[in-house]
Amino acid sequence: MTLLKWPAKNLAADPSASQLTQLLNSLSDVVMMLDEQHQIKMINQCWQDITGISIEQTQGRTFTDFLHPEDIASWTQLMQNLRPDSKEVIWFRLISASGELRWCEMRLQSMEKNKLYPLSATLCDITPQVRNEQVRHASYRSLQSLVDRLPAMLYRARNNISWSMEYVSEGCELITGYSAENMLNQPQVSLGAMIHGEDAGYVWEQVQIALENRTTFSIEYRLTQADGKEIVVQDKGRGLYSESGMVLGVEGIIFQTTI
């Protein structure tokens, strides 16, 4: 019987185990293999770079040993719903050797067709992106808090006779007597209905002139609050336009000029 042999050129091209290890360790993402008990059976060098935990301290341990306690429930649920043909993506926090949290995105799938285990996973450190997003959210919350504390009403309204509100700051209650919730998209509680009847036409006309000329407007008029009290306010704003030049609405700030 003649034994089949691979051609010499294929043998030369076939990577050795050390070369495969070198290849895996050169990757900037974590690559790992998990068994049925979700123990880590193989993992590359990037894991140590991200977590500060050595490969020796990691292999053989259950993956949940490294998860933030609040994320274990999500991981458990994912594992319970996993199927051989599944390709899942999950975000979670790892606890590094120093105690620092590292946000990661994991892509998980079965290694063998029609067989759930072992699992292969790639894990990407997304901590910088998450931190940037957290900074943006914190900045937004700080700005929103500042806006809501102003003794004025910031608004964005549709360009109709009612000046229907699409956004209004919490300061609207100080100016109008109505809460922001009551003023948003509520036709029965509209800014237009609060403007004194003798001033409504003038306000509409001045805003339309400003919109046509693409200039800001500054208008003083009388406004009736929810309790029936009449006050004088200053309304400063400008138009919102589409790329084609169509008027999308107006935005501005209203503050009381008399007590």
Side-chain angles (χ1 to χ4, degrees):
M1 182 177 65
T2 304
L3 295 175
L4 294 176
K5 295 183 179 180
W6 292 108
K9 63 178 181 179
N10 284 348
L11 284 173
D14 186 33
S16 65
S18 62
Q19 287 175 315
L20 286 173
T21 300
Q22 185 179 3
L23 172 63
L24 290 174
N25 286 336
S26 70
L27 299 176
S28 57
D29 289 343
V30 174
V31 179
M32 68 172 67
M33 182 175 70
L34 303 175
D35 66 9
E36 292 186 45
Q37 287 73 43
H38 308 151
Q39 291 179 338
I40 300 170
K41 308 307 292 184
M42 188 280 292
I43 197 162
N44 67 340
Q45 180 63 37
C46 185
W47 169 265
Q48 185 169 327
D49 298 338
I50 290 175
T51 66
I53 305 170
S54 70
I55 305 301
E56 293 73 22
Q57 292 174 307
T58 302
Q59 284 183 321
R61 293 178 61 182
T62 304
F63 184 67
T64 50
D65 289 347
F66 306 98
L67 282 180
H68 189 285
E70 292 178 2
D71 295 337
I72 292 177
S74 298
W75 170 264
T76 302
Q77 184 178 9
L78 177 68
M79 291 298 101
Q80 290 172 345
N81 297 327
L82 203 61
R83 297 293 178 267
D85 58 348
S86 299
K87 293 184 178 180
E88 303 291 343
V89 178
I90 183 174
W91 283 25
F92 51 76
R93 290 160 291 179
L94 291 175
I95 302 176
S96 70
S98 65
E100 181 185 9
L101 296 181
R102 307 299 299 180
W103 275 97
C104 297
E105 178 184 88
M106 175 185 276
R107 296 180 180 273
L108 195 67
Q109 60 189 0
S110 301
M111 292 181 63
E112 299 181 25
K113 189 175 182 180
N114 300 322
K115 187 177 178 182
L116 184 53
Y117 294 99
L119 296 170
S120 68
T122 56
L123 189 151
C124 176
D125 184 6
I126 58 171
T127 305
Q129 297 94 304
V130 171
R131 282 177 178 163
N132 289 339
E133 190 66 22
Q134 289 172 336
V135 168
R136 283 194 292 270
H137 280 307
S139 297
Y140 172 79
R141 289 193 299 270
S142 178
L143 177 60
Q144 188 63 48
S145 177
L146 171 62
V147 166
D148 289 338
R149 291 198 305 270
L150 289 175
M153 169 178 157
L154 276 71
Y155 70 88
R156 182 173 63 248
R158 291 194 286 274
N159 186 38
N160 57 31
I161 201 68
S162 296
W163 303 115
S164 304
M165 292 294 155
E166 295 180 345
Y167 166 81
V168 64
S169 67
E170 295 295 334
C172 69
E173 190 160 1
L174 176 66
I175 302 298
T176 68
Y178 294 100
S179 68
E181 182 180 2
N182 285 334
M183 289 198 66
L184 287 174
N185 297 306
Q186 299 291 331
Q188 68 273 25
V189 184
S190 69
L191 179 64
M194 299 179 209
I195 300 175
H196 193 285
E198 295 178 3
D199 298 342
Y202 169 74
V203 171
W204 174 262
E205 180 181 315
Q206 293 301 305
V207 173
Q208 300 315 301
I209 291 173
L211 292 176
E212 184 177 349
N213 295 325
R214 288 179 173 258
T215 58
T216 59
F217 58 83
S218 181
I219 314 165
E220 191 173 82
Y221 55 84
R222 290 166 289 177
L223 184 147
T224 304
Q225 295 178 313
D227 61 1
K229 181 182 177 182
E230 186 177 288
I231 62 171
V232 178
V233 298
Q234 190 78 25
D235 189 341
K236 295 187 176 184
R238 64 178 184 179
L240 296 169
Y241 307 89
S242 68
E243 291 184 3
S244 64
M246 181 177 69
V247 176
L248 300 176
V250 294
E251 62 182 4
I253 182 170
I254 298 172
F255 53 90
Q256 186 175 349
T257 59
T258 60
I259 304 301

